[in-house]
């Protein structure tokens, strides 16, 4: 379900091709996804400059479907995984090194 027009009050069902995991990535089949208050602010058009289109929801539980080439992790198809809202942080900046990864200037977010 994708938000195309904030404040329109509805999400649109959009069929997408299933992506192939790139090297270092995994493909996850989503079983459940939390929708938090920030998502609702975006859907209701209450936040400026949302990245549209967007699929709301960024707290995910699912299972690994496929593992990309060169994956250094021990994840395997069938493994149950959780994915947090904070999808990436650099690990080397002062925020990351002090346990405040949410403030990392190079952070990327799920969803
Ligand atoms: Zn959230
Ligand atoms: Zn960082």
């Amino acid at each position: 379900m994708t938000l195309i027009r904030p404040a329109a009050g509805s999400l649109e069902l959009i069929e997408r091709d299933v992506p192939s995991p790139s090297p270092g990535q995994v493909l996850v089949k989503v079983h459940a996804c939390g929708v938090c208050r920030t998502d609702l602010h975006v859907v209701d058009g209450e936040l400026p400059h949302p990245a549209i289109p967007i699929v709301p929801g960024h707290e995910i539980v699912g299972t690994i479907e496929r593992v990309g080439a060169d994956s250094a992790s021990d994840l395997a198809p069938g493994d149950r995984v959780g994915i947090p809202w904070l999808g990436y942080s650099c690990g080397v900046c002062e925020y990351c090194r002090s346990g405040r990864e949410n403030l990392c200037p190079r952070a990327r977010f799920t969803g």
Side-chain angles (χ1 to χ4, degrees):
M1 300 303 291
T2 302
L3 178 67
I4 306 284
R5 295 180 301 270
S10 65
L11 303 173
E12 297 181 26
L13 176 63
I14 296 177
E15 297 286 339
R16 298 171 189 264
D17 293 334
V18 175
S20 294
S22 297
Q25 296 182 332
V26 295
L27 176 67
V28 176
K29 181 177 182 66
V30 175
H31 294 287
C33 181
V35 176
C36 75
R37 187 62 217 169
T38 303
D39 294 311
L40 298 178
H41 282 311
V42 171
V43 171
D44 291 342
E46 297 170 350
L47 294 182
H49 315 299
I52 301 298
I54 189 170
V55 178
H58 48 218
E59 291 112 8
I60 297 165
V61 173
T63 53
I64 302 288
E65 290 259 303
R66 286 188 283 155
V67 176
D70 301 331
S71 177
S73 79
D74 57 356
L75 294 172
D79 287 352
R80 190 171 193 206
V81 294
I83 302 172
W85 67 274
L86 183 58
Y88 170 85
S89 59
C90 76
V92 297
C93 73
E94 73 173 276
Y95 296 111
C96 287
R97 286 181 288 141
S98 62
R100 299 177 291 162
E101 300 88 357
N102 59 311
L103 300 175
C104 175
R106 297 190 344 202
R108 293 199 305 254
F109 307 101
T110 302

